């Protein structure tokens, strides 16, 4: 085997040494690409390395100490497998513990890229074959007859829409707030946008990294052209301004809102090479043919991107930590993926900027504020730099807006269609005015918002940056515009215009996607940017927050039924109306899965211990998935840690070792086989010790990566738009915001609670089986003992069954976890918060985990968020009550409680919606924080698996975010099908 | 000795047994013996054993523990009810709940406690408690005691009845505590009723007439319901006769759509179902036919409603 590997590597070296078409990739703008890759077997019987140095490739039978990355294969079968798989699957080997990577992962990606240059055509053929096979197997497994009727059922929900009546105090102009008379057919412009969205493949865009890298290559990254060390914020701001001045100002065809996130239309994939950008390197040859979520990329762009990425191989957050802290344990744990995921390797994002400030003051107003601040004599050198950097970044935004205005004028002058010509002329005027000056009309406000949004994404990774309380931000402009209108006809026309404008804004939001390597399709299935919008609730003064724009945005949500922006709704029992609640439920019914619903009172209760001012708490909005951020003044990084609670349990069951990872990682807490546990409390202590160990490591890593951000990519633009930063003269990455926290999400609460209940009841309380017997059954995935499996599944009350003991245990666990995080302080001096939602990790972690005492079989998904097991109770109301009675104060980063409702074909629309209203209201009254629906039958989902082409717009809610069902990986689709459905 | 009232099930979150979200209490025992009964395990008032083959893991714990040797793989229904003494040791021993006892003794207080847990949902949806079964009016005193407690807690009450009960007792024990009566009418012809339901329908029709006579001034309302059983109750002459009967007595009727989900139940309690595997019985109701059935009643000025 060693010899064969040596030969293959030598062949590769030969090809690269002799063929000009390959040789050209050995050199980039910075010079020769120099690096080395090692391959070895666990048992030491194989050792080879390949070195690329100064344009020459050589192979050796030894791996030197300074090899950049080493692939350690578990056995020779896996090494053989490497030759048979496509590049997107290589990271999958790591995921399944078949290969361990030592060193810089970007170099593995580079190596894969070179491999793909050799095997490109082969890979493409393999992928094409996979796609075909996948389609055939799906049809075989899931095809059911009568699919046309079921597919129609969802489309039919759009008929017979309910009519609303104006009852909310601050709804001024909509007599039918449900806007039932409108459908997408009234808006042909939007219909075309929607069609493009579902038809045209997204494309990788190199504009952002190209312009930035250009600037850095000319002006230096660590030090400037004179060799002086750069101050990171100044460097970031100058490069940013350059990017904004030089990026292409595009006005999407026929749009009412100017500006695009990338140079590719309708959807571009944005690249952040300092974050996860290098992760796509290895797939550049195959990404357009991969099964899930392919991206187009031109051959030219492939070379350009390769050239760019070589600049960043060491200049990314992950490598900074590896280098500075000498490959710390907490980083190694993160790179095995099953224990936790620390999001800062991808970005911080997850916050909500102060949009009202941009709308009310304009960028010029903000710059004046900075100038005033700069004149303060007490400023330190650092303050001056931070504030100057903010100003420079804002200049970039102004430059971009100006360019858009010019572009609009140019387009207008050559536009033949008179209607469109007028629209372009108006856009030219608007972009000349906003966001520089305060906005005065709805058109201006939405353009200002969008331009600012694009600007923010040019600085910061597009994962979880959220829009906030759009209805509150826009209402004053809607009212202002309406007040200028006198006739009823004009009012009606304006309302239609407002709907269309907001729809344009939503569709603008779909113009970009985060860069997801194929492994991400597996771990974060189907997610887009998750730009959360939050409606309703109360105003900072405590008044009813539901207004005209709330309903207009809901109408757009219903008409478009797209996955992102991620629409969330706050419902305040005291102040918000049943009219509003009913409409929320109707929109969920029509779209299947959106908006997600939050209890205002209970989320506020969860935040109470933080001591925030009440006006600030009232201004909370969902971020990314569900987490609360106090709009415009709070850096919460609410998605910073995704923790696998089940990993801690598995480690407790195995004395610190994780069974799937074969790694003796955690503390020694006792062995079941050796009889270490004589009481339940002793085992519970083992679980908590392992959990604390993992939490402590994750926090360590998060704090290290936070430091990396301050060095590599501080965010002066974002800082200028978050309250506190200008005042303090400090970048948000360093703690400039008024409020600072870091949010965690802890996955697997129901599975852990249920497993511990089984151990407590069957082993220790009732003594029906011994711990050793139970462990043996778990280790054999219950195949050896069906009797134990049956006992475990039928004789123990689960979380969600209404049993007070299991509820108490769940509360005990959330309290413990919250307590663990509460002990820590984050890099910016703030607290850590604990959430219980799961993104799609419940499927990913589930697939990597073994069987559990609860009876869950190996590889099966956990329940989403903290949703109880399907088997917990036949009575859905028991589930609702148990979740509602979890203590909000242990869950200050919110939760996700998933409910799948299955409307009968004969079910009457209004009855279904009324039942939904009742579930939500009572759940909130009983203390529940968040609830989200999927109103769809398993039959429809199965049909969508067999015939995805008929369901391209079928929306589902995973755990906090929306996705198109047909873009999900198979495991996630099956989880959704098997999720308990409650018939209505 | 007076038989104890057995409870089959307390089912929460029902949207089909009355208005709003309801909890349904199913009582065991029924005076009728309809051959299409969707709850055949509710017919006999006494305790029974149920065996669900799909849940059995083949561990034979039951076979080992049975003192009467009543359990065997070779027996058609696994448990030979002729030998079984209803000691229920097998049910205790079964790890997978494939063997279950049908019908639990529950006190009024215990039932009330379970039902009250769902009260917040009744309040927010205009729902409440539904008594069904079997036939709840078969245990008049017990049912009355239950209804009394629910009324004390201001819960909306509904009873689903076949109408075969003592009228005076019903008036005294049930009517004062009931908000809605769902009254099932199956077959109008007495001979047919005897054939398919096991008894005459004289009581049933008489009771209905008496109730509708006093319905106008009552605190409760009554809704007649007709199950549409293929080839039996859904015959045109039956529906016409029932429509004639209802005319001038009731302004509304509910037609229950047939579904075949009950077909596996009889073998679980060791009964051969008397209906041979008729093809009609295995199908869901044809939506086109529903319109036709509804027209029969609408022509006579009776509105067809769902609740």
């Amino acid at each position: 085997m060693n010899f064969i590997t040596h030969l293959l590597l030598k062949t590769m070296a030969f090809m690269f040494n002799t063929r000009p078409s390959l040789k050209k990739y050995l050199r980039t703008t910075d010079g020769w690409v120099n690096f080395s890759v090692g391959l070895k077997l666990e048992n030491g019987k194989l050792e080879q390395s390949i070195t690329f140095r100064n344009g020459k490739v050589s192979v050796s039978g030894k791996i030197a100490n300074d090899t950049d990355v080493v692939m350690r294969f578990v056995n020779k079968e896996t090494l053989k497998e490497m030759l048979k798989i496509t590049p997107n699957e290589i990271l999958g080997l790591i995921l399944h513990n078949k290969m361990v990577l030592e060193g810089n992962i970007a170099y593995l990606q580079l190596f894969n890229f070179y491999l793909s240059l050799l095997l490109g055509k082969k890979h493409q053929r393999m992928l094409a074959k996979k796609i075909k096979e996948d389609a055939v197997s799906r049809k075989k497994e899931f095809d059911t007859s009568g699919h046309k009727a079921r597919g129609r059922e969802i489309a039919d929900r759009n008929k017979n829409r309910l009519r609303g009546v104006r009852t909310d105090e601050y709804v001024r102009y909509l007599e039918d707030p449900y806007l039932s008379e409108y459908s997408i057919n009234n808006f042909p412009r939007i219909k075309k946008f929607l069609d493009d969205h579902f038809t045209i493949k997204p494309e990788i865009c190199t504009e952002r990294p190209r312009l930035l890298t250009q600037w850095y290559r000319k002006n230096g990254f660590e030090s400037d052209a004179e060799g002086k060390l750069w101050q990171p914020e100044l460097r970031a701001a100058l490069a940013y301004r350059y990017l904004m001045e030089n990026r292409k100002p595009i006005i999407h065809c026929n749009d009412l809102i100017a500006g695009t996130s990338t140079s590719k239309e309708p959807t571009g994939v944005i690249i952040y090479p300092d974050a996860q950008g290098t992760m796509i390197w290895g797939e550049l040859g195959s990404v357009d043919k991969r099964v899930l979520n392919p991206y187009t990329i031109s051959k030219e762009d492939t070379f350009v991107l390769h050239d760019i990425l070589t600049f960043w191989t060491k200049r990314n957050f992950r490598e900074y930590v590896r280098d500075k802290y000498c490959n710390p344990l907490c980083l190694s744990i993160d790179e095995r993926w099953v224990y936790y995921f620390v999001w800062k390797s991808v970005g911080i994002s997850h916050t909500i900027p102060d949009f009202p400030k941009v709308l009310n003051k304009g960028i010029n107003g903000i710059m004046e504020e900075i100038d005033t601040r700069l004149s303060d004599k007490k400023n330190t050198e650092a303050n001056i730099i931070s504030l100057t950097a903010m100003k420079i970044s804002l200049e970039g935004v102004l430059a971009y807006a100006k360019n858009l205005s010019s572009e609009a004028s140019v387009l207008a002058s050559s536009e033949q269609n008179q209607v469109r010509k007028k629209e372009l002329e108006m856009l030219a005027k608007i972009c000349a005015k906003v966001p520089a000056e305060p906005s005065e009309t709805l058109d201006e406000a939405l353009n200002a918002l969008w331009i600012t949004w694009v600007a923010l994404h040019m600085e910061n990774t597009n994962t979880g940056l959220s829009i906030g309380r759009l209805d509150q931000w826009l209402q004053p402009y809607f009212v202002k515009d309406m007040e200028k209108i006198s006739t009823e006809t004009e009012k009606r026309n304006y309302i239609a215009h407002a709907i269309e404008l907001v729809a344009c804004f939503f569709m603008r939001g779909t113009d970009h996607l985060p860069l997801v390597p194929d492994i991400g399709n597996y771990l974060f299935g189907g997610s887009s940017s998750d730009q959360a919008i939050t409606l309703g609730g109360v105003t900072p003064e405590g008044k009813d927050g539901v207004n005209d724009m709330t309903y207009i945005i809901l109408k757009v949500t219903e008409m478009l039924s797209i996955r992102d922006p991620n629409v969330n709704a706050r419902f305040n029992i005291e102040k918000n109306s049943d009219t509003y609640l009913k409409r929320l439920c109707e929109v969920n019914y029509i779209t299947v899965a959106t908006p997600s619903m939050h209890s205002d009172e209970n989320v506020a209760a969860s935040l109470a211990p933080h001591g925030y001012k009440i006006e600030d708490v009232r201004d909370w909005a969902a971020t990314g998935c569900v987490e609360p951020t106090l709009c415009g003044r709070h850096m919460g990084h609410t998605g910073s840690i995704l923790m696998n609670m089940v990993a801690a349990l598995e480690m407790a069951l195995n004395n610190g070792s994780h069974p799937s990872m074969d790694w003796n990682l955690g503390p020694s807490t006792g062995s079941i086989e050796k009889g270490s546990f004589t009481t339940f409390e002793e085992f519970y202590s083992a679980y908590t010790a392992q959990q604390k160990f993992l939490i402590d490591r994750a926090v360590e890593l998060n704090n290290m990566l936070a430091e990396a951000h301050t060095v590599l990519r501080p965010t002066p633009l974002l800082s200028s738009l978050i309250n506190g930063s200008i005042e303090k003269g400090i970048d948000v990455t360093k703690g400039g915001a008024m409020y600072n926290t870091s949010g965690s999400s802890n996955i697997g609460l129901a599975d852990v609670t249920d497993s511990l209940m089984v151990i407590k009841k069957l082993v220790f309380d009732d003594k029906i089986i011994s711990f050793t017997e139970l462990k043996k059954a778990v280790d054999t995935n219950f195949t050896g003992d069906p009797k134990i499996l049956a006992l475990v599944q039928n004789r123990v009350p689960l979380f969600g069954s209404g049993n007070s003991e299991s509820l108490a245990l769940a509360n005990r666990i959330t309290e413990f976890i919250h307590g663990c995080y509460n002990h820590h302080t984050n890099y910016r001096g703030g607290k850590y918060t604990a959430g219980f939602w799961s993104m799609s990790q419940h499927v990913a972690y589930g697939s990597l985990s073994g069987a559990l005492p609860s009876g869950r079989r190996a590889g099966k998904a956990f329940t989403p968020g903290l949703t109880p097991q399907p088997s917990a109770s036949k009575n859905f109301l028991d589930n609702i009550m148990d979740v509602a009675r979890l203590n909000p104060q242990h869950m200050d980063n919110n939760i996700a409680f998933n409910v799948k409702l299955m409307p009968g074909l004969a079910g009457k629309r209004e009855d279904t919606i009324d039942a939904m209203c009742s579930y939500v209201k009572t759940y909130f009254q009983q203390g529940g924080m968040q609830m989200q629906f999927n109103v769809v039958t398993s039959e429809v989902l199965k049909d969508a698996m067999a015939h995805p082409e008929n369901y391209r717009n079928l929306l589902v809610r995973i755990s906090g975010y929306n996705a198109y069902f047909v873009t999900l990986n198979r495991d996630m689709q099956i989880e959704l099908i098997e999720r308990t459905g409650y018939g209505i | 000795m007076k038989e104890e009232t057995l409870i089959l099930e307390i089912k929460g979150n029902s949207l089909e047994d009355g208005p709003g979200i309801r909890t349904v209490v199913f009582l065991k025992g029924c005076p009728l013996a309809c051959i299409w009964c969707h709850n055949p395990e509710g017919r006999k008032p006494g305790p029974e054993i149920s065996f669900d083959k799909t849940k059995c893991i083949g561990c034979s714990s039951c076979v080992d523990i049975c003192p009467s040797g009543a359990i065997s793989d070779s027996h058609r229904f696994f448990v030979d009810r002729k030998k079984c003494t209803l000691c229920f040791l097998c049910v205790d021993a079964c790890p997978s709940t494939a063997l279950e006892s049908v019908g639990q003794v529950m006190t009024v207080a215990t039932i009330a406690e379970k039902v009250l847990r769902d009260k917040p949902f009744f309040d927010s949806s205009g729902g409440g408690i539904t008594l069904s079964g079997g036939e709840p009016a078969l245990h008049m005193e017990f049912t009355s005691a239950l209804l009394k407690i629910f009324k004390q807690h201001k819960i909306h009450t509904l009873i689903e009845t076949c109408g075969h009960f003592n009228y005076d007792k019903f008036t005294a024990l049930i009517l004062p505590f009931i908000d809605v009566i769902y009254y099932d009418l199956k077959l109008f012809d007495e001979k047919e009723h005897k054939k398919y339901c096991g008894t005459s329908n004289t009581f049933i029709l008489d009771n209905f007439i008496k109730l509708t006579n006093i319905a106008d001034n009552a605190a409760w309302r009554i809704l007649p319901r007709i199950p549409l059983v293929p080839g039996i109750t859904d015959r045109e002459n039956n529906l016409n006769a029932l429509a004639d009967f209802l005319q001038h007595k009731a302004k509304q009727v509910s037609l229950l759509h047939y579904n075949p989900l009950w077909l596996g139940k009889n073998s679980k309690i060791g009964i051969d179902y008397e209906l041979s595997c008729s093809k009609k019985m295995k199908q869901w109701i044809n939506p086109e036919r529903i319109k036709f059935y509804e027209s029969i009643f609408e022509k006579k000025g009776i509105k067809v409603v769902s609740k």
Side-chain angles (χ1 to χ4, degrees), chain A residues 128-153:
Chain A
K129 189 167 170 227
K130 258 217 170 82
I131 294 179
K132 264 215 189 97
E133 284 171 353
D134 181 70
V136 167
S137 81
R138 278 160 178 279
K139 276 204 172 62
K140 217 171 155 194
E141 195 178 339
F142 294 101
D143 205 347
T144 55
S145 56
H147 66 258
K148 283 211 180 76
R150 287 185 202 106
R152 257 206 317 270
E153 188 263 313

Side-chain angles (χ1 to χ4, degrees), chain A residues 666-683:
Chain A
S668 293
T669 49
S671 153
I672 296 173
E673 287 82 354
K674 295 207 178 104
S676 306
F677 305 107
T678 55
T679 66
F680 172 71
E681 284 306 313
E682 283 172 5
F683 182 73

Side-chain angles (χ1 to χ4, degrees), chain A residues 554-747:
Chain A
L554 278 172
K555 183 65 192 176
V556 169
T557 307
E558 172 219 289
M559 280 190 334
L560 297 179
S561 207
I562 49 179
R563 65 187 161 187
D564 198 25
N566 180 9
V567 184
N568 289 258
R570 289 169 51 173
F571 184 74
N572 188 292
I573 292 194
E574 202 198 319
K575 296 284 177 172
N576 295 151
S577 67
D578 285 343
T579 308
Y580 170 59
L581 180 61
K582 193 158 183 171
R583 178 60 177 152
L584 292 178
C585 291
E586 186 191 27
V587 177
N588 263 287
Y589 176 73
I590 293 176
T591 62
V592 172
T594 197
S596 136
M597 329 254 239
H598 303 256
S599 158
D600 233 21
E601 285 93 339
N602 297 324
V603 171
S606 76
L607 298 174
H610 287 270
Y612 301 130
K613 285 201 251 137
I614 184 72
E615 306 79 51
D616 293 333
V617 174
R618 288 190 188 126
D619 229 5
W620 79 268
T623 322
C625 287
V626 297
E627 320 85 87
T629 292
L630 308 182
C631 292
R633 66 209 85 165
H634 178 195
M635 271 303 269
H637 196 189
T638 59
S640 68
I641 294 172
L642 299 184
M643 171 63 63
N644 179 0
M645 290 167 68
V646 169
L649 179 65
E650 289 198 272
M651 283 159 70
L653 289 169
N654 293 281
N655 200 12
S657 183
H658 190 288
S660 307
M661 287 294 130
D662 200 21
W663 190 7
N664 208 347
L665 172 66
S668 293
T669 49
S671 153
I672 296 173
E673 287 82 354
K674 295 207 178 104
S676 306
F677 305 107
T678 55
T679 66
F680 172 71
E681 284 306 313
E682 283 172 5
F683 182 73
Y684 185 75
S685 297
Y687 162 68
T688 52
Q690 300 293 345
Q691 186 68 85
K692 179 172 184 302
F693 170 78
L694 288 178
I695 290 176
D696 289 347
R697 301 289 83 69
V699 164
E700 249 167 48
L701 181 59
N702 186 47
N703 289 351
M704 288 176 188
L705 284 168
E707 180 194 314
H709 275 260
T710 65
V711 172
L712 293 177
R713 195 180 72 193
T715 50
L717 175 67
L718 181 62
S719 303
S720 72
L721 299 177
I722 300 255
N723 279 319
S725 261
I726 295 177
E727 207 179 327
K728 295 186 205 167
I730 297 177
D731 192 273
V732 287
T733 53
K734 290 200 172 112
M738 186 165 137
Y739 297 123
N740 282 286
T741 55
S742 286
S744 72
S745 179
N746 301 277
I747 294 134

Side-chain angles (χ1 to χ4, degrees), chain A residues 1 40-46 71-82 93 96-100:
Chain A
M1 192 70 213
K40 69 184 190 196
L41 277 186
E42 217 31 269
N43 60 14
K45 288 209 174 119
L46 185 150
M71 295 184 256
R72 182 158 46 95
F73 294 91
V74 166
N75 52 41
K76 66 176 195 238
E77 279 69 39
T78 310
L79 182 50
K80 281 192 204 154
E81 213 181 313
M82 243 199 88
L93 293 177
H96 292 101
N97 198 39
K98 292 183 181 171
M99 190 235 293
V100 179

